[in-house]
Amino acid sequence: MTAVLSPAGPAGPAAPSAGAVAAGRRARSRRRRTVLGVLVAILLVVVVVTLCVGEKTYSPAQVLQVLLGERVPGATFNVETIRLPRMLTGLLVGLGFGMGGVVFQTMLRNPLASPDIIGVSAGSSAAAVVAITVFGLSGTALSLVAVVCGIGVAAAIYALSWRGGVHGARLVLIGIAVGAMLDSVIAYAMTRAGVYDANEALRWLTGSLNSAFWPGVGPLAIAMAVLLPVLLALSRRLSALQLGDDAASALGVRPDRTRLALVVVAVAVVSVATATTGPIAFVAFLSGPIAHRLVRGTGSLLVPSALVGALLVLVGDLVGQHLLVARFPVGVVTGVLGAPYLLWLLARTNRSGGSL
């Protein structure tokens, strides 16, 4: 996700003029604005479809009446009580997964360094499964346990990766190992659990919007309203880290302190999203690379990745609920999309002789 620059030799092409450089910069900026506008437009369309389509389909005019507070027989309950909190939850967790994932991938300059690959999401999942099957927790208490343990596991991975600094490949490998150990904890807890608790834990692990109702929307919205702007405020420092620690230091950015701040906030975002819906597979992993290809690396990827993440969650939920022969949680649909991409990425990295 980073450009590789190489100096031209004596017989290389002539350096572009200042005018050509400025024209190229304007063209890239126009492309970025166009891509962002298209993503927002598609997201608005998907939001409208999410509110209109279900067991009973309503027109956009009826949905608008409900949103304006009017009573529409039948539509008021379905839209206001069921579809609206589900849509808002999917939108917010999608924004969080997308932005949190690309922070790790950009900071560590490795597309594999996604929270759902390096064990961060596994920390929240293992804690939630143990909380459900051993302690019988649910609701807010379950969410708090998942958030706290997700942050704790991320801190442990970061500390184990520290050797006078954090190297991306080392953190990815340690994260995968920690994630494998946590998967064993999940498997053990599931085998020891009763049927009801095991079903509840399995439902949570698949990543689903089926439990998205108004009581959970408020805390999620507050957390995202606080955390996502902090990540946006750190985006310039994140861009500086892409140039390497020496270059970042020359630009006045303290690499270790900035990296730690980014990790803490990004892990909090991903942990809150995971605690709300369960680990929706591969959304954090896919959003950054898709956004990178859309904007072709111009500017920060945080906003495009957040929009892509929201689209993946909402479209995946629509597909899983209405377009297949049976209803599936959104995590199943995104897993089907993400697993082949992970295999392709690993094969491509192996062919290119990369370290991972």
Side-chain angles (χ1 to χ4, degrees), residues 186-278:
I186 293 172
Y188 176 77
M190 294 287 283
T191 58
R192 303 289 296 178
V195 175
Y196 176 80
D197 289 339
N199 284 334
E200 183 66 16
L202 185 61
R203 184 197 62 78
W204 194 90
L205 284 173
T206 55
S208 170
L209 297 179
N210 290 341
S211 59
F213 296 104
W214 280 117
V217 175
L220 175 64
I222 292 172
M224 293 300 170
V226 171
L227 296 171
L228 296 187
V230 175
L231 286 181
L232 290 175
L234 293 170
S235 62
R236 286 184 179 275
R237 298 186 181 190
L238 177 62
S239 299
L241 289 180
Q242 285 184 277
L243 304 174
D245 286 3
D246 292 339
S249 299
L251 294 172
V253 174
R254 302 181 69 170
D256 292 334
R257 184 172 295 184
T258 300
R259 198 174 285 119
L260 180 60
L262 286 165
V263 167
V264 169
V265 181
V267 166
V269 168
V270 173
S271 297
V272 169
T274 303
T276 303
T277 62

Side-chain angles (χ1 to χ4, degrees), residues 4 39 68 72 127 171-172 207 234 256 305 322:
V4 178
L39 287 174
L68 293 176
V72 180
L171 186 142
V172 170
L234 293 170
D256 292 334
S305 298
H322 306 299

Side-chain angles (χ1 to χ4, degrees), residues 139-196:
T140 304
L142 175 63
S143 299
L144 286 175
V145 169
V147 170
V148 171
C149 291
I151 295 173
V153 169
I157 294 171
Y158 192 87
L160 290 171
S161 306
W162 183 268
R163 294 290 186 277
V166 174
H167 188 273
R170 185 166 57 234
L171 186 142
V172 170
L173 289 173
I174 291 175
I176 291 174
V178 171
M181 288 190 291
L182 292 170
D183 287 341
S184 299
V185 172
I186 293 172
Y188 176 77
M190 294 287 283
T191 58
R192 303 289 296 178
V195 175
Y196 176 80

